[in-house]
Amino acid sequence: MKAKIAILPGDGVGPEIVAEAVKVLDAVARRFGHDFEMMELPVGGAAYDTCGDCLPETTLAACQTADAILLGAVGGPKWDALPPEKRPERRALLGLRAKLGLFANLRPAKVWDALTEASPLKNGIVARGIDLLIVRELTGGAYFGEKRRAADGKSACDTTPYSEREILRVARVAFAAARTRGEGRAPARPCGEGRAPARPCREGRAPARPPKVTSVDKANVLETSRLWRETVTALHASEYSDVELEHMYVDNAAMQLVRDPSRFDVILTENMFGDILSDEASQITGSIGMLPSASLGDARGGLYEPIHGSAPDIAGKGIANPIATILSAAMMLRHSLGLAAEADAVDRAVSDTLAAGVRTQDIALGNDHAAVSTSEMGNAISGALLRT
Ligand code: NAD
């Protein structure tokens, strides 16, 4: 197939990790006979330095006509002093989401078999399995609500608006994702005691779990959360009663994520809660350098990016983990280009590479594994893809 992909490397480690994902996409194109037209475009602080705008019109226009967008990360100390509306995070990230109508953010978090030791949780908890999907509302709530600062600068206010329409459309994404995950789900892993095995049992004795959505809110104190809960409950009853639904307060969800993450399948939540919970979910899987994301709207394209930021502390050192970006490219193949077999091949290449002991510094545990560079990890994964 032919596809136009907008490539937005951005700032900090962005160009380093995106280069490796492009390498993997090139390998996919070679192996499966596709023609990917990849257009590299400026965004973030890098774009501000050259064009005076973190989201230049030409970049936005190219993204609007692309079949999909792959983004590295934006921001860094160099641009922190810019006025808020010009900063990379606000102008480029929130701007792209708003202008492209990307209202649903999908963040899968799982522990890879070869990386169970990287989780900071006790092995007995990890052995029960961590494989969840956070569906976060992306264009509403406090991040987009009206903001005010008093004239004397001593008090401030952020509003958190949500409409029934905004809740319904993201809730539909979450219920549909739960159904899809339910179809392909491996049996839940049996509960283990003590240290997790290097490769936890795939052929669990427990039966496959039914699809489940946990809707996270703060309905005991927030009016928007009460609307959220009512709307999700009504949608579930009318269209998705085959999916299990539970409601949970966000403070409890934060606790349950470290106490027993295996209880979650799909977590549906609003913008700010999702931002915070997905970082927590990333950490329990081992490294933020492993977690991809997809941002989807009603239109055909989608935006794919690692969940981490520009990591200025390690930028330019060639040690960033490119796997989150490579897995984001796999999500792009699956969700925007309809190439499920190709996406599976990338996931398998990552799994095989990790199983072979190849590790970047963030996931090289102690002295067991010598760390490879960002580009060596990209080479290993594209090599594995071409070999299988
Ligand atoms: P960060 O995610 O960039 O870094 C947090 C920690 O994780 C750092 O120690 C970093 O070295 C490490 N890390 C991140 N990605 C890694 C990778 N691929 N491999 C190995 N280690 C990795 O978060 P931060 O430091 O809070 O933010 C830095 C900048 O990024 C800020 O300007 C922030 O606003 C911006 N940011 C951008 C995005 C985005 O573009 N989507 C998201 C979050 C933060």
Side-chain angles (χ1 to χ4, degrees):
M1 80 172 292
K2 273 181 177 248
K4 261 168 83 173
I5 304 170
I7 303 286
L8 277 48
D11 307 317
V13 296
E16 301 166 48
I17 53 180
V18 164
E20 301 315 309
V22 166
K23 211 182 259 176
V24 171
L25 285 172
D26 278 334
V28 169
R30 271 206 346 256
R31 183 177 149 189
F32 291 90
H34 299 307
D35 180 3
F36 295 150
E37 185 191 331
M38 296 193 246
M39 312 162 280
E40 192 172 312
L41 301 152
V43 76
Y48 185 84
D49 289 349
T50 51
C51 328
D53 184 353
C54 289
L55 182 58
E57 277 305 319
T58 45
T59 296
L60 179 61
C63 289
Q64 282 165 330
T65 57
D67 294 301
I69 305 156
L70 183 68
L71 172 70
V74 297
K78 183 175 176 195
W79 305 283
D80 278 351
L82 287 176
E85 67 284 0
K86 291 193 168 173
R87 285 185 54 174
E89 296 85 345
R90 178 113 158 238
R91 168 81 183 134
L93 274 188
L94 301 194
L96 272 171
R97 289 170 190 167
K99 294 251 159 66
L100 301 174
L102 304 171
F103 61 81
N105 185 229
L106 276 56
R107 296 184 166 198
K110 74 170 192 172
V111 167
W112 293 76
D113 286 356
L115 288 185
T116 51
E117 297 289 321
S119 172
L121 298 183
K122 285 186 177 156
N123 288 300
I125 297 175
V126 178
R128 280 181 230 148
I130 302 175
D131 183 0
L132 57 95
L133 173 71
I134 296 185
V135 178
R136 165 190 169 196
E137 201 290 325
L138 207 55
T139 51
Y143 294 3
F144 286 86
E146 192 194 333
K147 297 160 197 321
R148 276 197 308 273
R149 178 72 80 99
D152 66 0
K154 304 250 187 252
S155 66
C157 157
D158 296 284
T159 52
T160 309
Y162 265 113
S163 68
E164 185 188 64
R165 185 187 69 91
E166 288 172 310
I167 300 166
L168 279 175
R169 64 185 183 177
V170 70
R172 281 203 170 89
V173 172
F175 282 121
R179 272 185 185 154
T180 312
R181 283 164 60 86
E183 283 159 17
R185 188 195 312 286
R189 287 170 183 158
C191 177
E193 292 296 324
R195 293 191 76 73
R199 296 180 69 86
C201 180
R202 282 200 162 280
E203 311 303 323
R205 289 174 291 278
R209 289 180 301 177
K212 178 166 121 182
V213 168
T214 304
S215 178
V216 171
D217 60 39
K218 191 68 183 163
N220 48 348
V221 282
L222 296 178
E223 196 51 40
T224 41
S225 280
R226 279 194 275 276
L227 175 67
W228 185 279
R229 195 174 278 219
E230 282 163 27
T231 307
V232 172
T233 303
L235 178 69
H236 172 255
S238 62
E239 294 179 31
Y240 296 98
S241 53
D242 56 307
V243 177
E244 189 184 331
L245 171 67
E246 69 173 347
H247 298 281
M248 191 179 280
Y249 296 139
V250 63
D251 39 350
N252 187 22
M255 188 175 72
Q256 296 299 335
L257 265 175
V258 290
R259 193 179 158 270
D260 183 14
S262 72
R263 74 189 309 292
F264 293 111
D265 179 8
V266 174
I267 294 176
L268 161 67
T269 192
E270 61 98 81
N271 203 344
M272 187 162 69
F273 297 161
D275 193 8
I276 297 166
L277 291 180
S278 56
D279 267 25
E280 185 187 359
S282 77
Q283 201 48 52
I284 62 175
T285 65
S287 169
I288 198 168
M290 294 291 300
L291 270 90
S293 80
S295 301
L296 308 174
D298 286 327
R300 64 185 177 143
L303 174 73
Y304 299 84
E305 56 178 322
I307 76 153
H308 60 74
S310 59
D313 53 335
I314 57 168
K317 295 184 179 167
I319 58 171
N321 186 346
I323 292 180
T325 317
I326 290 168
L327 292 173
S328 301
M331 289 185 86
M332 178 179 82
L333 295 169
R334 192 182 306 281
H335 294 284
S336 283
L337 306 185
L339 300 175
E342 288 80 345
D344 287 345
V346 175
D347 288 348
R348 253 194 325 275
V350 169
S351 181
D352 291 349
T353 303
L354 292 172
V358 183
R359 303 280 190 273
T360 42
Q361 197 177 68
D362 55 313
I363 49 172
L365 306 160
N367 295 324
D368 293 350
H369 299 278
V372 301
S373 69
T374 308
S375 73
E376 285 167 333
M377 180 59 92
N379 291 345
I381 294 170
S382 39
L385 183 83
L386 290 171
R387 270 196 307 280
T388 52

